[in-house]
Amino acid sequence: MSDSTPSDLHIARAAALRPIGDIAAAAGIDAAAVEPFGRYKAKIDPAKLTAGAPSGKVVLVSAMSPTPAGEGKSTTTVGLADSLAKAGHKVMVALREPSLGPVLGMKGGATGGGYSQVVPMDEINLHFTGDFHAITSANNALMALVDNHIYQGNELNIDPRRMTFKRVLDMNDRALREVVIGLGGPRQGIPRQDGFDITVASEVMAVFCLATDLADLRERLGRITFGYTYDRAPVTVADLGVQGALALLLKDAIKPNLVQTIAGTPALVHGGPFANIAHGCNSLIATQTARRLADIVVTEAGFGADLGAEKFMDIKARVANVAPAAVVVVATVRALKMQGGVAKNQLTEPNVDALAAGVANLRRHVRNVEKFGVTPVVSFNRFATDTEQELGWLLGWCAGEGIQAAVADVWGRGGGGDGGDDLAAKVAAAVNAPSSFRHLYPLELSVEDKIRTIAQEIYGADGVDFSVPALRRLADIERNGWSGLPVCMAKTQYSFTDDASRLGAPKGFTIHVRDLIPKTGAGFIVALTGAVMTMPGLPAVPAALRMDVDDDGNPVGLF
């Protein structure tokens, strides 16, 4: 982006927003279901909708392996929805909420960019309607109640050395990864080693995003395993008897948030687990609410198709009938060059040879999507530094591979303009084409075999190496009857391997599983691979250094 190009924040603030009541009415949302948060945001109570059962078709937006700055999945999601709406389809967007950690860190927000944004972007990217604060409070209330139970006599015989649940904070803060609590004498609690995860890695967040309604939320919260007894038996929130209190803290947050795109397309922005350390999808309640109101719901899953898309189809689509009718794989010239071996500081220089080397990464993502019985459409998200020669070469390569593809300029020209027309036409055709969706693996497989299936079929690994602690955890999972749960892989987003430096489409590698964490409330097993962290750190130059607020209270430097 040149100095003369307006920032995302400038574009968003110049947009003419419609009152949220008008957006709701146009979407067919009953006035009784709308709980406004100011003029341009509202909570929607699905129980008060008169719309019928969910029937809208889902378009899932995923991507190739990204650069650290991201490749524009949210921008493409918004631009595609706007373009489909302009073509006459009844459309709704369903996105995740941004986490403050990356907003203040390196990657940025999650509201799209340019002329394809959900707005008001500054409010959405900061505290929004307080959902993440509620989730953080519920998570930390649980741990306060657990530690208090131990201090007050420990009737449940909880072993403080075998806690599997951590406190959380919606911030990137490496200093909190390992802490010791309860210091200061007998009246300050029982000392034990602890640590913090980022809020988006919390099982409360996962439960929040997979619950079908408030009653299911309460039940799933009760099923959370937070540790083990001295006899090594699992201890759940229901054993502690506090699932009702946690549900109470989340009773308003569980209602989806309604906003709009710059072009006026209604959007539900709700929930926000990361896809590299969690399942990476917006709330199921928001997706199903959108499916009740629209014929096409455009949603996204985090990072590349090896992470978010696989988890959408193997985890979220098992909970409810939200299998995608079409999948879009977002790619960029700069990401393909990086996968082809070009240094980050040279990605803006024309280099067709690097594209030819990097398309192996895109090919693997496309073929992986096809393994789920869905035919993908590739969207090349255009950047100002892309050349016609490079984009033309990529379209020719896709044609030769039999891959549907389009160049989308929805950042610069907007989906409400003509920037996404070609992409929208190809996606509309894919939505109406016959498909035979299938999961990658049956739940009857052992957890070990599910992990091997994902590693070999999706990542291209030769095999999987389980550490000694992971092997012990596999035995615990089998003994406790959890082997029928799906698997949620925690892995670097930058590579098919668990080594972020191995780019392209590597072969001849092994995935290393260092630990397994049963998320019995969410209903999946997290497999921690390589050096992936559930509490990220800030970069050397955080984005927060360029942020401020002016004398009128308006944000400055927010993308």
Side-chain angles (χ1 to χ4, degrees):
M1 187 170 68
S2 67
D3 292 340
S4 61
T5 303
S7 68
D8 291 345
L9 179 59
H10 177 84
I11 292 170
R13 288 179 59 186
L17 276 62
R18 296 165 59 192
I20 200 63
D22 293 352
I23 296 293
I29 299 172
D30 307 78
V34 180
E35 302 174 8
F37 271 64
R39 295 194 66 196
Y40 304 117
K41 311 186 297 289
K43 284 284 186 183
I44 303 300
D45 188 345
K48 296 180 180 178
L49 291 176
T50 57
S55 61
K57 293 186 177 181
V58 174
V59 174
L60 176 65
V61 179
S62 186
M64 63 173 290
S65 301
T67 67
E71 303 319 306
K73 277 196 315 300
S74 298
T75 301
T76 300
T77 299
V78 173
L80 171 59
D82 287 341
S83 297
L84 287 167
K86 185 172 70 116
H89 300 280
K90 189 175 184 182
V91 183
M92 185 168 275
V93 178
L95 289 174
R96 291 173 296 163
E97 299 179 52
S99 165
L100 280 176
V103 167
L104 299 176
M106 177 171 58
K107 184 177 181 293
T111 56
Y115 293 92
S116 293
Q117 298 186 58
V118 285
V119 284
M121 70 86 87
D122 53 333
E123 297 177 29
I124 297 169
N125 276 311
L126 296 176
H127 303 288
F128 201 16
T129 59
D131 293 345
F132 278 28
H133 298 292
I135 292 165
T136 300
S137 295
N139 185 106
N140 294 345
L142 170 58
M143 294 318 297
L145 290 160
V146 168
D147 283 311
N148 180 67
H149 179 90
I150 296 171
Y151 175 76
Q152 299 293 351
N154 201 4
E155 181 181 348
L156 291 174
N157 199 33
I158 299 167
D159 186 345
R161 303 166 303 172
R162 292 191 169 89
M163 304 294 289
T164 58
F165 207 91
K166 295 181 178 182
R167 289 168 168 83
V168 298
L169 188 68
D170 189 31
M171 198 61 57
N172 290 7
D173 193 347
R174 61 175 56 83
L176 293 178
R177 288 172 183 162
E178 299 291 340
V179 300
V180 177
I181 63 172
L183 300 179
R187 299 183 63 184
Q188 310 307 321
I190 307 299
R192 68 177 180 88
Q193 185 175 357
D194 197 7
F196 279 74
D197 290 334
I198 191 168
T199 296
V200 289
S202 165
E203 186 173 1
V204 175
M205 174 68 82
V207 163
F208 182 92
C209 286
L210 289 171
T212 56
D213 54 30
L214 184 59
D216 185 47
L217 174 70
R218 184 190 298 108
E219 182 180 343
R220 285 176 176 271
L221 289 167
R223 295 204 305 261
I224 290 174
T225 299
F226 60 79
Y228 295 84
T229 68
Y230 284 100
D231 299 322
R232 301 197 178 185
V235 191
T236 67
V237 170
D239 293 330
L240 196 62
V242 299
Q243 66 270 33
L246 304 187
L248 178 65
L249 292 173
L250 298 170
K251 70 177 183 65
D252 295 314
I254 198 65
K255 300 170 186 175
N257 306 299
L258 177 68
V259 289
Q260 62 191 288
T261 71
I262 288 176
T265 304
L268 294 178
V269 180
H270 198 223
F274 282 175
N276 57 342
I277 53 179
H279 74 282
C281 307
N282 72 304
S283 81
L284 180 60
I285 290 177
T287 302
Q288 293 292 63
T289 299
R291 292 184 66 228
R292 295 174 66 184
L293 297 164
D295 296 328
I296 298 177
V297 176
V298 186
T299 189
E300 52 86 40
F303 295 122
D306 57 324
L307 290 168
E310 184 273 318
K311 294 168 185 180
F312 185 101
M313 294 187 271
D314 276 327
I315 297 175
K316 183 171 180 175
R318 291 186 196 268
V319 178
N321 181 28
V322 293
V327 174
V328 176
V329 178
V330 177
T332 61
V333 168
R334 69 178 186 181
L336 288 164
K337 290 176 185 174
M338 191 179 84
Q339 295 296 329
V342 174
K344 294 177 186 177
N345 62 357
Q346 298 176 346
L347 294 178
T348 59
E349 298 176 12
N351 192 332
V352 172
D353 289 340
L355 293 180
V359 290
N361 181 274
L362 177 59
R363 180 192 290 113
R364 184 173 291 180
H365 283 291
V366 168
R367 301 310 177 205
N368 283 344
V369 170
E370 292 172 347
K371 292 178 181 181
F372 294 91
V374 183
T375 301
V377 176
V378 170
S379 173
F380 292 109
N381 182 30
R382 184 167 195 156
F383 281 68
T385 54
D386 298 346
T387 67
E388 294 299 330
Q389 180 190 17
E390 290 171 321
L391 293 170
W393 187 92
L394 288 170
L395 290 175
W397 176 83
C398 286
E401 292 281 329
I403 300 169
Q404 289 288 312
V407 175
D409 187 9
V410 293
W411 192 100
R413 286 151 55 194
D418 61 355
D421 288 354
D422 189 20
L423 175 63
K426 286 181 167 60
V427 170
V431 164
N432 294 314
S435 64
S436 53
F437 175 79
R438 55 187 176 271
H439 302 296
L440 185 68
Y441 54 81
L443 293 179
E444 292 74 23
L445 284 182
S446 68
V447 170
E448 185 175 356
D449 286 339
K450 290 168 189 166
I451 293 171
R452 284 202 174 95
T453 299
I454 295 170
Q456 293 172 342
E457 292 292 324
I458 301 299
Y459 307 157
D462 288 344
V464 180
D465 177 66
F466 293 88
S467 70
V468 172
L471 290 171
R472 286 199 295 264
R473 194 78 76 180
L474 282 171
D476 290 341
I477 289 167
E478 184 70 28
R479 183 173 61 253
N480 290 309
W482 299 328
S483 58
L485 296 176
V487 167
C488 180
M489 301 293 289
K491 182 185 73 68
T492 177
Q493 65 269 32
Y494 298 123
S495 172
F496 281 110
T497 76
D498 55 25
D499 177 355
S501 67
R502 295 193 64 180
L503 305 182
K507 296 180 180 179
F509 66 92
T510 299
I511 292 291
H512 303 89
V513 176
R514 72 175 195 263
D515 202 359
L516 297 160
I517 304 175
K519 304 285 189 178
T520 51
F524 53 70
I525 307 294
V526 173
L528 294 170
T529 70
V532 68
M533 295 288 184
T534 52
M535 170 55 89
L538 289 168
V541 184
L545 296 182
R546 66 171 182 265
M547 296 178 186
D548 203 343
V549 59
D550 67 20
D551 292 339
D552 295 322
N554 297 309
V556 175
L558 192 65
F559 321 123

